[in-house]
Amino acid sequence: MAKVAFIGLGVMGYPMAGHLLKKGGHELTVYNRNAAKAEAWVKEYGAGKTAATPAEAAKDQDFVFSCVGNDEDLRAVTLGKDGAFESVRKGAVFIDNTTVSANIARELYAAAKAKGFGFLDAPVSGGSAGAQNGVLTVMVGGEADVFAKAEPVIAAFARMVTLIGAPGAGQLTKMVNQICIAGLVQGLAEGVHFAQKSGLDISKVMETISKGAAGSWQMDNRWKTMSEAKYDYGFAVDWMRKDLWIALEEARQNGATLPVAALVDQFYAEVQRLGGKRWDTSSLLARLNQN
């Protein structure tokens, strides 16, 4: 059992912290910007305690996790006033599960190194269902010895945990993940749209082609809800646009060419204008079916 803090109890962080407590058996201290959410977490899980600030949450802990919104949120809870980096003890490990830029991951790694504790950028994939079921995929950037210490703890909410490479590599891998998903979801949306326009039995179509080369997680888990115009089953469009923006910004720096990702990003902008900011990413079908 380790002493663990979790900063950020959103859609992902709330159940992830729960798995660290229940499955991992760790002693948990939680912090959330909305303190009522932290109190609700302690009440629901019947254990753990709340902290008034990130610094208070991180004090004397073996491991500190964060899962917040974006670069600015992460910088605030780490380096800002009463930020966690004020109190993380030497030898501890800070694990950030937020999807952010590789630049801030490297910045925080350097700051942690200077203060004598470890830092891992460890964004996750698997959506809210993966978080609730404790089967997330975690892609990690950082030093091997720090990763070795943290991996058994991270495993409480993960199906796969992989050290990809140096600091920032976890975030870069998450960008690859989102680039791939963007193209897959657009292709699936077009396929469902075409099947609908053709008057085909979509259930038979998808059950058949999902067993062939067209099969994917997106097809298995999203074709039915898409075809029924139900878009409240996963990762929100607003967050996907944030992630694609990060990937496209990185591409401008490293020279990668991402024409499909850039195009799908604009399609998601259209979905936002349709009122779909909080719809899940499969709502790309909505823009095709608006006519």
Side-chain angles (χ1 to χ4, degrees), residues 87-126:
S87 61
V88 179
R89 68 169 180 80
K90 289 186 177 181
V93 180
F94 193 103
I95 303 111
D96 177 47
N97 299 124
T98 316
T99 297
V100 289
S101 69
N103 289 337
I104 193 171
R106 297 184 189 109
E107 176 188 341
L108 294 180
Y109 162 78
K113 187 83 169 176
K115 289 176 174 286
F117 60 89
F119 179 86
L120 299 172
D121 54 287
V124 300
S125 180

Side-chain angles (χ1 to χ4, degrees), residues 24 66 79 97 107 117 145 153 240:
S66 61
L79 302 178
N97 299 124
E107 176 188 341
F117 60 89
D145 59 335
V153 182
M240 186 59 161

